[in-house]
């Protein structure tokens, strides 16, 4: 009996070793270990043996069956590996075919630049606040120290809203011409010190390649007891370098704005020609027109009259002071991305927008 | 404001400074250069004085003459000339070969109808020094000693006819720089060059090589000049009947011969952009350009009754102004009457009736100062911003009146043969005895504002250069303390009224150029960060970008017809557009009442350019003509986000689901509606956040109504519109953390038949409730009508997931829950289990 077991085991192991496919092995498994195979049936018939032999034969048959099963498993694993390798080789594709299309969206250039500006000023310690786009003459002009005959109030420079029977109050309404109304609106509700920027859409009746009747500004306001013009320069120098590159310089050029005193325009050294006014080939720099400087924004120390217009003792101009600035997001975008015409930004041809996204 | 360098050089010593250097210094001290112009002939050295030796008709051209002209060369030059007035013996200006004329025309040797021509005999207009172009400029008729000038003499030696001109942008606070002497003062302060005495003073006349007569010296400074000739003019009277005219003065001149003004004056006016007209008008313009103070000349014999009254107009009054227009006036605007009624629109434009004309022999010269805002309003309403009106609209100092009277008096005498009769009539609300007190400038304050110390002696030096009178009240006070007392000169009085205004003067001249930058300290003890709302807005935008949408930025403006194209009734709240009073065009006459308008516009623009499969979104403000609850006196506006995709409702809903998920808003739902005019009535919904009575409608979802899409030439488009002002405050700062559970879930699917009007949301709600505590999620994954489903019913396939936190679910629990769900569906929505 034991010899038969050894025979069966040897025959099985030889067949397994000779098998070349997993299918063949499955057949061998059925043949040698299946319900009708001899070896398992030997085991089934162990009870018919002499008690003394039962243990020995049972153990041998069991060992043989396990050994055969292990041999099959090992051989299956071996063959599976090589079969997989073969299958993978056969499964070769042309990797240069295109991928399945996934739409790629994008932010509008103006949003990207706005976020950049916001992030830079957050890093400089400014909070971000926003305001409404319709405004009163009071907040847009009067509270900002604009003389009654200041030209910005003209109908050629400001969109006024038609009188509306639906609205209360005898106020003259307009579309804000700058984000500056939020200076006084914010100070009315917040205690000093104040450090804010105000990004938002503004409106002026202008329309040409570099002016659109709606555009976007970022206002800045910093009020404390000891904020100086030198601080303004430091903040705007930091900003200019973050946006236009670490080698940039700025210069303050005195100007006039009704709501700041002293007022300065900020020029940044030209990032195209490095401030030399000349390109490498000696040609006049087209961006700064040979001056080496590009005007980027208007700013100044907040006029005491603006602080007084807040109407709160906390903003007594003898106690607090500070600076304000206002920049055009479109202007920054134009300078940084070399746009010469603003109008495509509002035409929104997605094929153009995607290039800036 | 155009400042010819040679003219400016009369008032400030510009030796060693060219126009570029002057402009550069002005640019960094507050006066921006608009552009640098070269006025006149571009090669002035090629214009020489010539003498016409012979002048014969051209043999082959009736209108041409052939001349020979001595231009100082060995041989006379033959020049063919078309001017009718050219004649033998004339002294003329000749553009020689190689000359480049204004506008770039180059003079070359030429043959005109067969006759050689070597140069051009110039007209005043060709030289850029006047308007005369009917004939050549015969110097012997306009220059007294022309016959003495040797042929070949550079024309520039005779007349400065070509010049660099600074075109400066004068800020609205600096009307003093609308006069050349004011600019000269700025140049002196900015460059250190020497300022010469003002031309309306005796010293100024002397510097110009002449002397003053009576009434021709208005000493600088404050207070009214006193006319030695008295304060009366026989036959003339003056009354000022309004407080809006601080000062009005009149002088009378006789023996005036109206004719061309001297060539040098015409050349200067031309270089300044003023057209020469006649000597009287030219003098008023010339003086205005020097002083900044406008003047007006009346024909004294056309001032009815010799009486002038300045008064406020009554509504509807009419007046013929000298531009030939009849103007209707409004109450409060200022007019000047003579005995026959209105004769002049005060400070803005003279009247036709009293205009100086060729036969005028007596001139009544008005110089007055006005209430700026009043004049600004009038000029603005009538759109009459002449050089004079725009200066008067600034509200000039009453002292400037004397400067203009003095200088004009001298020039009328010197160049128009005029002699003054009588004294100076003067009236108005100005009281010269009221002198504003000096302003104090604290040295400590200067440092506190600018962030750098400026010692008082340096402050004094800077202010002094600008014409301020400075006294150091305590010269011994230590550095960083002490106070200066500063008297503001008349021409700066409107601009400089406070300490801070003087600090600005100190800063712009002496500090700004090399200020060391510093950084301020944030003293708010919380780090600067975007607000939760601002972060949520960015997240919303980023979610849509992540789903492949392109952000667009549309116009806030639209036309009045937009609401109609959207199918909105006139009484729909969304149709109540905010209307602009002064739109740029009808296309931009109102503000968009919904953000869908600009999205549809952008979509159409892209479609017509061939873009297909459009997926766009926009964040922006929309407006309605109804009170804003936050500001009742202002129109309602809110921030909206909206997507528009060339797809069906479920595409838009998927995007909305992503948006809500990205914002961590779980408790939201849609509710079908057919009441939104611009959406497909069977495929649109209101978007609600919250449940029950607390639910807030935050937006709309749906396919664009096919009729509306058609009006924008668009195919099927789906959209969602969300009011971010409502949604963002509902965004939770964080979502409570929920353990995933260590035990496996159990999943099964159910298909139920329900009546066609039972919504998926209802079925899910019933299933969820019936699933009880074990139910983790239930969702619809298929909805089917058609073959195998009875008419009027729908088969909904539900995917159910159960889980317990503390155990693996037993078969009985799973089966029990399944049965409970099936039973609830049967009972509450008539659901029949399929298959």
């Amino acid at each position: 009996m034991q010899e038969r077991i050894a025979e069966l085991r040897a025959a099985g192991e030889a067949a397994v070793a000779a098998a070349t496919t997993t299918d063949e092995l499955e057949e061998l498994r059925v043949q040698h270990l299946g319900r009708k195979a001899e070896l398992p049936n030997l085991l089934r018939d162990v009870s018919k043996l002499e008690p003394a032999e039962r243990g020995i034969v049972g153990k041998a048959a069991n060992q043989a069956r396990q050994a055969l099963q292990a041999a099959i498993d090992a051989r299956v694993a071996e063959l599976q590996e090589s079969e997989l390798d073969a299958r993978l080789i056969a499964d070769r594709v042309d990797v240069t075919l295109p991928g399945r299309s996934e739409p790629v969206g994008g932010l509008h250039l103006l949003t990207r630049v706005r976020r950049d500006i916001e992030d830079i000023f957050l890093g400089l310690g400014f909070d971000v606040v926003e305001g409404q786009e319709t405004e009163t003459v009071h907040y847009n002009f009067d509270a900002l120290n604009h003389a009654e005959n200041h030209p910005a109030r003209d109908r050629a420079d400001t969109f006024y809203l038609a009188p509306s029977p639906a609205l209360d109050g005898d106020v003259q309404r307009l579309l804000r011409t700058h984000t500056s109304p939020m200076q006084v609106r914010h100070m009315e509700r917040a205690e000093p010190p104040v450090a804010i920027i105000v990004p938002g859409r503004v409106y002026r009746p202008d329309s040409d390649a570099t002016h659109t009747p709606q555009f976007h500004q970022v206002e800045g306001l910093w009020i404390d007891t000891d904020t100086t013009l030198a601080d303004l320069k430091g903040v705007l120098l930091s900003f200019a370098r973050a946006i236009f590159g670490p080698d940039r310089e700025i210069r303050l050029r005195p100007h006039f704005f009704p709501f700041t005193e002293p007022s300065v325009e900020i020029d940044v050294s030209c990032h195209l020609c490095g401030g030399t006014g000349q390109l490498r080939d000696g040609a006049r720099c087209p961006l700064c027109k040979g001056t080496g400087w590009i005007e980027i924004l208007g700013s100044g120390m907040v006029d005491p009259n603006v602080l007084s217009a807040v109407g709160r003792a906390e903003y007594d101009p003898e106690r607090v002071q500070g600076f304000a600035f206002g920049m055009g997001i479109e202007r920054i975008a134009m300078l940084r991305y070399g746009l010469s015409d603003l109008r495509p930004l509002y035409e929104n041809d997605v094929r153009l927008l995607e290039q800036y996204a | 404001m155009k400042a010819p360098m040679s003219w400016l050089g009369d008032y400030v010593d510009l030796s060693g400074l060219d126009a570029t250097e002057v402009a550069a210094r002005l640019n960094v001290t507050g006066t921006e250069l608009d552009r640098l112009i070269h006025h006149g002939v571009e090669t002035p050295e090629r214009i020489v004085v010539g003498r016409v030796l012979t002048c014969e008709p051209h043999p082959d051209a009736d209108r041409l003459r052939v001349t020979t002209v001595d231009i100082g060369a060995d041989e006379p030059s033959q020049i063919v000339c078309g001017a009718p007035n050219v004649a033998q013996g004339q002294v003329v200006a000749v553009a020689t070969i190689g000359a480049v004329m204004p506008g770039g025309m180059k003079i070359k040797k030429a043959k005109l109808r067969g006759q050689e021509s070597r140069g051009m005999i110039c007209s005043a207009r060709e030289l850029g020094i006047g308007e005369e172009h009917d004939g050549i400029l015969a110097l012997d008729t306009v220059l007294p000693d022309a016959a003495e000038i040797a042929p070949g003499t550079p024309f520039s030696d005779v007349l400065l006819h070509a010049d660099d001109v600074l075109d400066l942008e004068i800020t609205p606070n600096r009307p003093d720089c609308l006069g050349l002497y004011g600019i000269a003062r700025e140049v002196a302060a900015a460059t250190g060059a020497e300022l010469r005495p003002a031309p309306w003073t005796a010293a100024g006349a002397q510097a110009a090589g002449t002397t003053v007569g009576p009434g021709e010296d208005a000493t600088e400074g404050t207070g009214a000049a006193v006319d030695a000739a008295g304060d009366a003019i026989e036959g003339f009277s003056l009354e000022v009947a309004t407080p809006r005219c601080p000062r009005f003065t009149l002088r009378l001149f006789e023996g005036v011969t109206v004719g061309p003004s001297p060539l040098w004056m015409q050349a200067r006016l031309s270089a300044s952009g003023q057209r020469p007209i006649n000597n009287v008008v030219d003098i008023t313009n010339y003086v205005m350009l020097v002083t900044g103070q406008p003047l007006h000349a009346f024909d004294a014999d056309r001032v009815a009754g010799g009486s002038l009254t300045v008064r406020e107009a009554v509504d509807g009054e009419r007046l013929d102004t000298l531009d030939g227009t009849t103007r209707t006036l409004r109450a409060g605007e200022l007019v000047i009457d003579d005995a026959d009624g209105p004769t002049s629109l005060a400070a803005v434009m003279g009247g036709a009736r009293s205009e100086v004309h060729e036969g005028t022999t007596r001139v009544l010269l008005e110089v007055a100062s006005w209430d700026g805002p009043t004049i600004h309003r009038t000029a603005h309403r009538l759109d009459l911003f002449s050089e004079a009106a725009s200066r008067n609209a600034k509200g000039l100092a009453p002292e400037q009146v004397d400067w203009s009277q003095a200088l004009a008096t001298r020039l009328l005498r010197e160049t128009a043969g005029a002699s003054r009769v009588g004294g100076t009539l003067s009236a108005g609300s100005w009281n010269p005895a009221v002198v504003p007190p000096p302003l104090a400038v604290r040295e400590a304050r200067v440092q506190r504002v600018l962030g750098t110390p400026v010692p008082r002696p340096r402050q004094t030096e800077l202010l002094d250069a600008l014409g301020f009178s400075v006294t150091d009240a305590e010269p011994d006070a230590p550095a960083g303390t002490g106070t200066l007392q500063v008297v503001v000169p008349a021409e700066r009085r409107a601009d400089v009224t406070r300490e801070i205004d003087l600090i600005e003067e100190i800063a712009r001249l002496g500090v700004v150029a090399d200020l060391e930058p510093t950084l301020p300290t944030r003293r708010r003890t919380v780090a600067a960060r975007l607000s939760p709302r601002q972060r949520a807005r960015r997240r919303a935008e980023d979610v849509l970008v992540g789903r492949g949408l392109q952000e667009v930025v549309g116009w806030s403006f639209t036309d009045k017809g937009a609401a109609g194209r959207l199918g909105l009734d006139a009484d729909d709240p969304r149709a109540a557009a905010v209307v602009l009073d002064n739109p740029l065009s009808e296309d931009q006459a109102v503000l968009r009442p919904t953000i869908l308008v600009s999205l549809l516009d952008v979509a159409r623009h892209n479609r017509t350019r061939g873009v297909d499969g459009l997926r766009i979104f926009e964040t922006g403000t929309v407006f309605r003509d109804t009170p804003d609850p936050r500001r009742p006196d202002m129109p309602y506006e809110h921030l909206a986000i909206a997507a528009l995709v060339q797809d069906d409702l479920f595409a838009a809903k998927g995007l909305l689901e992503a948006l809500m998920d990205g914002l961590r808003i779980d408790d939201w739902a849609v509710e079908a509606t057919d009441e939104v005019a611009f959406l497909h009535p069977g495929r649109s919904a209101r978007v609600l956040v919250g449940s029950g009575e607390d639910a807030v409608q935050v937006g709309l979802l749906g396919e664009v109504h096919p009729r509306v899409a058609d009006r924008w030439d668009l195919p099927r488009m789906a959209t969602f519109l969300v009011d971010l002002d409502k949604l963002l405050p509902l965004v939770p700062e964080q979502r409570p953390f929920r353990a995933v559970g260590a035990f496996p879930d159990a999943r099964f699917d159910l298909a139920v038949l329900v009546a066609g009007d039972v919504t998926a949301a209802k079925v899910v709600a019933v299933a969820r409730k019936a699933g009880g505590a074990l139910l983790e999620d239930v969702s619809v994954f298929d909805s089917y009508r058609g073959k195998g489903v009875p008419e009027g019913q729908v088969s909904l396939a539900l995917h159910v997931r159960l889980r317990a936190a503390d155990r693996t679910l037993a078969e009985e629990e799973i089966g029990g829950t399944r049965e409970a769900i099936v039973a609830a569906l049967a009972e509450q929505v008539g659901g029949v289990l399929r298959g």
Side-chain angles (χ1 to χ4, degrees):
Chain A
M1 187 64 86
Q2 288 184 48
E3 282 156 26
R4 182 63 188 154
I5 290 170
E7 262 174 46
L8 285 171
R9 176 175 174 174
E13 282 176 349
V16 166
T20 57
T21 69
T22 49
D23 289 345
E24 223 175 296
L25 285 167
E26 178 58 19
E27 276 172 35
L28 288 175
R29 192 189 63 77
V30 173
Q31 189 184 326
H32 292 277
L33 298 172
R35 289 167 60 90
K36 294 178 183 165
E38 194 178 345
L39 191 59
N41 286 323
L42 277 177
L43 265 170
R44 220 166 286 139
D45 292 342
V46 156
S47 57
K48 298 174 188 163
L49 297 177
E50 291 299 313
E53 274 187 58
R54 281 181 197 170
I56 300 161
V57 171
K59 191 175 175 190
N62 219 5
Q63 277 172 349
R65 198 188 60 169
Q66 281 169 3
L68 205 49
Q69 181 68 52
I72 290 172
D73 289 350
R75 185 65 184 149
V76 164
E78 204 177 306
L79 283 178
Q80 270 176 347
E81 286 296 308
S82 57
E83 279 175 20
L84 178 63
D85 288 345
R87 220 168 41 241
L88 295 182
I89 297 293
D91 199 23
R92 197 186 292 267
V93 297
D94 177 359
V95 298
T96 67
L97 288 168
R100 262 185 295 282
S101 168
E102 284 288 329
V104 176
L107 291 174
H108 194 280
L109 179 64
L110 290 174
T111 303
R112 285 188 51 207
V113 175
R114 192 195 75 220
R115 287 190 184 185
D116 278 354
I117 294 171
E118 287 173 354
D119 292 346
I120 290 166
F121 282 107
L122 284 164
L124 286 165
F126 289 77
D127 299 311
V128 181
V129 301
E130 285 147 291
Q132 258 75 39
E133 294 172 22
T134 55
E135 262 300 351
T136 60
V137 165
H138 171 75
Y139 285 104
N140 199 76
F141 291 127
D142 298 346
L144 294 172
N145 198 38
H146 282 60
E148 198 193 328
N149 54 350
H150 192 276
R153 294 176 184 254
D154 293 351
R155 289 168 60 87
D157 292 302
T158 299
F159 285 115
Y160 288 92
L161 303 187
S164 164
L167 303 178
D168 303 339
D170 179 25
V171 292
Q172 209 182 356
R173 303 177 186 91
L174 45 75
L175 288 177
R176 62 178 177 185
T177 58
H178 44 196
T179 39
S180 313
M182 277 306 286
Q183 289 188 17
V184 170
R185 282 196 184 272
H186 185 76
M187 288 189 281
E188 280 176 349
R189 65 188 188 213
E191 307 292 316
V194 162
I196 56 166
I197 59 163
V198 189
R201 183 173 291 188
V202 301
Y203 302 87
R204 288 181 202 171
D206 272 336
S207 190
D208 61 35
T210 56
H211 297 86
T212 45
Q214 73 182 26
F215 57 105
H216 299 82
Q217 280 191 337
V218 177
E219 189 79 7
L221 178 71
W222 192 304
I223 300 290
D224 204 336
T225 54
D226 54 358
T227 314
T228 68
L229 188 68
D231 290 338
L232 169 70
K233 186 172 184 183
V235 163
L236 293 178
L237 177 62
S238 306
F239 166 76
R241 288 179 172 171
I243 282 275
F244 296 109
D247 300 331
R248 299 278 70 80
E249 292 297 333
I250 63 166
R251 75 172 178 188
L252 275 53
R253 197 159 33 73
H255 198 66
F256 169 77
F257 303 110
F259 41 131
T260 47
E261 186 93 324
S263 300
V264 286
E265 287 193 318
I266 303 294
D267 296 343
V268 61
S269 60
C270 180
H271 54 282
L272 189 62
C273 63
T276 62
Q278 283 190 342
L279 301 181
R280 282 215 188 91
D281 61 4
R284 191 179 83 141
C285 175
L287 189 58
C288 64
K289 305 204 164 48
T291 63
W293 295 99
I294 300 168
E295 179 192 327
I296 54 165
L297 59 88
S299 62
M301 297 299 287
V302 175
D303 193 290
N305 289 351
V306 175
L307 296 170
S308 299
V310 175
R312 295 176 58 172
E314 295 91 327
Y315 287 96
D316 175 355
E318 279 291 310
R319 284 175 54 185
V320 296
Q321 60 184 47
F323 60 76
F325 57 83
M327 71 181 78
I329 295 180
E330 279 83 351
R331 176 148 185 85
I332 303 291
M334 284 179 94
L335 292 172
R336 210 169 68 165
Y337 295 93
L339 306 178
S340 55
D341 191 339
L342 280 183
R343 290 167 291 197
L345 289 180
Y346 291 109
E347 282 173 6
N348 292 294
D349 187 317
V350 294
R351 294 165 303 183
L352 186 71
L353 295 182
E354 281 162 3
Q355 296 174 45
Y356 289 112
Chain B
M1 172 78 188
K2 293 192 174 73
M5 285 293 285
S6 61
W7 193 355
L8 194 58
D10 279 4
Y11 310 130
V12 56
D13 181 3
L14 293 179
S15 45
L17 289 168
D18 68 16
T20 314
E21 290 162 323
V22 170
R25 283 301 301 157
L26 287 177
N27 199 38
V28 295
T29 53
T31 313
E32 202 171 340
L33 180 75
D34 202 23
R35 62 201 172 118
L36 182 60
I37 305 165
H38 180 82
H39 177 81
V41 176
E42 290 180 26
T43 53
E45 69 283 359
R46 292 198 184 267
I47 310 293
V48 299
V49 176
R51 184 180 301 270
V52 181
L53 300 177
T54 63
C55 179
E56 304 293 338
H58 190 291
D60 300 313
D62 290 349
R63 296 199 175 169
L64 296 180
R65 302 219 165 92
V66 180
T67 67
T68 53
V69 184
D70 178 0
I71 58 167
D74 296 344
E75 294 278 316
S77 298
Q78 175 168 305
I79 296 174
V80 179
C81 180
N85 68 330
V86 65
Q88 185 186 345
Q90 279 173 335
V91 178
V92 293
V94 177
T96 58
I97 304 298
V100 181
M101 306 304 288
M105 183 183 69
K106 194 168 180 185
I107 303 299
K108 297 177 197 153
K109 194 161 73 175
K111 270 199 173 164
L112 292 169
R113 292 283 181 101
Q115 294 292 316
E116 182 171 277
S117 183
R118 305 176 61 88
M120 181 174 79
I121 304 176
C122 303
S123 71
R125 185 143 97 176
E126 280 157 350
L127 291 167
I129 56 173
E131 282 298 298
E132 190 56 54
H133 62 286
D134 289 342
I136 50 109
L137 177 63
L139 295 175
D140 44 301
T141 64
V142 291
L143 291 178
D145 302 320
E148 317 290 315
I149 305 167
T153 303
F155 184 49
S156 304
D157 292 359
V158 179
L159 178 77
L160 210 145
H161 61 94
D163 200 359
D164 286 332
V165 180
L166 305 174
D167 193 357
L168 299 168
E169 184 195 315
I170 306 300
T171 54
N173 61 323
R174 293 300 301 275
D176 60 305
C177 286
L178 296 174
L180 278 172
Y181 194 73
I183 294 173
R185 192 185 290 108
E186 278 295 315
V187 171
T191 63
E194 189 197 342
L195 184 69
R196 300 204 162 109
W200 52 82
T201 62
Q206 198 180 3
T210 178
T211 51
V212 291
E216 295 172 8
D217 176 11
T219 308
E220 283 184 82
T222 50
V226 179
D227 186 355
D231 55 6
I233 304 170
E234 199 183 324
F236 288 87
S237 65
L238 169 65
E239 188 195 348
V240 172
T242 167
R244 301 184 193 200
C245 174
R247 189 151 188 237
F248 193 102
T249 64
L250 288 170
R251 282 184 179 181
L252 179 65
F253 298 87
E254 281 186 353
V256 175
T257 310
V258 173
S261 54
L263 212 47
W264 61 265
M265 187 179 282
Q266 294 194 41
R268 285 186 163 183
L269 290 173
S270 299
S272 305
Q274 288 274 337
R275 200 160 54 92
I277 294 168
N278 63 46
N279 50 0
V280 174
V281 175
D282 288 358
I283 286 169
T284 62
N285 284 331
Y286 183 92
V287 172
M288 174 183 74
L289 291 177
V290 174
T291 62
Q293 165 68 55
L295 310 83
H296 178 70
F298 293 92
D299 182 326
D301 295 310
R302 293 188 175 186
V303 174
S307 75
L308 289 178
T309 304
V310 183
R311 63 168 175 87
E312 293 176 21
V314 294
D315 230 8
E317 233 180 308
R318 293 162 81 84
L319 167 69
D320 295 331
T321 46
L322 54 72
D323 57 353
T325 311
T326 302
R327 311 276 178 180
T328 305
L329 305 182
R330 289 195 185 160
E333 295 179 337
L334 300 179
V335 287
I336 304 175
D337 278 353
D338 63 8
D340 288 347
T343 182
S344 196
L345 185 54
V348 175
M349 189 173 263
R353 193 152 56 81
S354 53
E355 197 182 352
V356 169
H357 58 103
E358 273 178 29
T360 297
T361 60
R362 295 208 305 162
V363 167
L364 193 61
L365 188 66
E366 167 210 324
V367 186
S369 63
W370 306 92
D371 174 56
T374 302
I375 305 306
H376 180 86
R377 268 195 305 276
T378 308
H380 193 246
R381 184 178 72 79
L382 299 173
D383 198 20
L384 272 178
F385 275 105
S386 61
E387 295 277 335
S390 49
R391 285 174 174 80
N392 282 324
K394 305 287 186 190
L396 303 174
E399 287 91 336
Q400 287 179 257
V401 166
D402 293 323
W403 308 346
S404 278
Q405 281 288 15
L407 181 55
T409 301
R410 172 157 71 83
L411 291 173
L412 280 166
R413 171 175 64 79
E414 288 177 345
T415 69
S419 51
R420 192 154 74 95
V421 182
T424 306
L425 286 182
S426 180
S429 53
W430 180 47
N431 180 359
V434 178
V435 180
L439 300 175
V441 182
R442 294 163 287 176
E443 184 172 328
R445 180 76 179 175
V446 173
Q447 177 166 1
R448 194 180 134 190
V449 170
L450 301 181
T452 189
V454 186
R456 273 167 290 137
R458 174 72 176 143
Q459 294 181 20
T460 305
E461 185 189 344
L462 294 167
L463 291 172
D464 202 49
L466 291 166
F468 295 88
S469 314
V470 185
T471 317
D472 192 341
E474 315 151 76
D476 299 328
T481 68
T483 303
L484 298 180
Q485 297 293 331
V486 182
V487 176
V488 180
E491 73 277 6
R492 296 299 307 280
R493 209 183 291 130
D495 179 36
V496 180
T497 58
R498 304 162 300 169
E499 181 182 37
I500 192 71
D501 301 322
L502 288 164
I503 295 176
E504 169 166 58
E505 298 296 310
I506 292 163
R508 74 184 177 90
L509 268 190
V511 172
V512 154
D514 41 27
L515 184 61
E516 278 299 313
T518 54
L519 280 176
T521 307
R522 180 178 165 98
R523 291 211 180 85
R524 220 169 242 282
T525 48
V526 52
R529 198 185 175 196
L530 290 179
S531 68
R533 196 193 126 102
Q534 289 160 347
R535 290 200 298 277
R537 174 182 164 175
R538 282 196 184 186
R539 205 152 58 230
E541 293 166 344
D542 291 343
V543 162
L544 296 178
V545 168
R547 296 304 176 287
L549 271 67
Q550 172 62 50
E551 188 196 19
V552 300
V553 174
W555 292 105
S556 294
F557 307 105
T558 186
D559 66 300
K560 285 185 173 158
R565 285 199 302 285
L566 288 173
L568 295 168
D569 289 336
D571 58 352
D572 190 299
R574 291 183 198 89
V578 174
V579 180
L580 298 185
D581 210 24
N582 52 333
L584 271 187
S585 69
E586 287 306 310
D587 287 345
Q588 303 191 328
V590 303
L591 300 178
R592 59 182 172 193
T594 155
I595 200 161
L596 188 59
V597 173
S598 59
L599 276 172
L600 290 171
D601 288 346
V602 170
R604 171 166 55 192
H605 180 80
N606 279 282
R607 280 285 291 181
T608 56
R609 290 169 159 221
V611 177
D612 204 34
L614 204 63
R615 295 162 67 80
I616 54 177
F617 79 97
E618 179 173 4
T619 309
T621 307
V622 299
F623 305 82
R624 262 174 231 163
D625 187 30
T626 181
D628 191 324
R630 295 160 298 187
R631 311 180 299 169
D633 55 349
M634 295 303 287
Y636 174 62
E637 52 179 274
H638 73 262
L639 187 69
I641 189 167
L644 183 69
V645 291
Q646 190 180 329
D647 211 324
D648 69 358
L649 167 80
F650 294 103
K653 192 176 179 194
L655 292 169
L656 179 62
E657 285 164 352
L659 179 82
M660 291 296 197
D661 207 28
L663 294 179
R664 299 185 290 250
I665 293 176
D666 295 328
D667 186 16
W668 69 281
V670 301
E671 200 176 275
T673 176
D674 55 6
E675 290 169 357
V676 182
F678 49 81
L679 296 179
H680 186 312
R683 294 173 171 230
S684 54
R686 302 188 296 131
V687 180
L688 307 166
V689 174
S691 46
E693 292 194 352
D694 295 335
V696 181
Q697 180 177 336
V698 297
L700 295 169
L701 166 73
E703 287 177 19
V704 177
H705 196 295
R707 267 200 292 274
V708 173
D710 196 47
R711 289 185 193 117
W712 268 270
D713 306 317
L714 293 169
R716 181 173 66 176
M717 303 293 284
T719 183
F720 70 75
L721 310 155
V722 168
D723 180 342
L724 286 177
D725 285 348
K726 285 192 181 136
L727 184 70
L728 294 181
L730 303 174
V731 172
E733 253 295 74
Q734 56 218 6
R735 189 149 42 181
F737 177 76
R738 196 177 59 209
V740 174
F743 295 90
D745 59 8
R747 304 168 191 199
F748 57 85
D749 294 342
L750 293 173
V752 285
L753 283 174
V754 292
D757 60 353
V758 175
T759 64
K762 177 70 181 164
V763 170
V764 165
V766 167
R768 173 167 291 135
K769 194 161 180 222
L774 294 181
L775 189 119
E776 187 172 70
D777 190 43
V778 53
S779 56
V780 174
F781 69 91
D782 191 32
S783 161
Y784 175 71
R785 291 171 205 249
K787 199 171 167 223
V789 174
E791 184 72 23
Q793 294 198 9
V794 59
S795 165
L796 293 174
L798 301 180
H799 187 71
V800 181
R801 200 168 72 228
L802 308 179
R803 195 196 297 271
D806 55 350
R807 64 187 186 281
T808 302
L809 290 172
E811 282 301 326
E812 306 79 64
E813 287 179 296
I814 298 168
T817 305
R818 188 175 186 278
E819 277 162 30
I821 292 174
V822 170
L825 288 173
E827 187 184 325
Q828 295 176 41
V829 293
V832 177
L833 202 59
R834 277 185 92 199

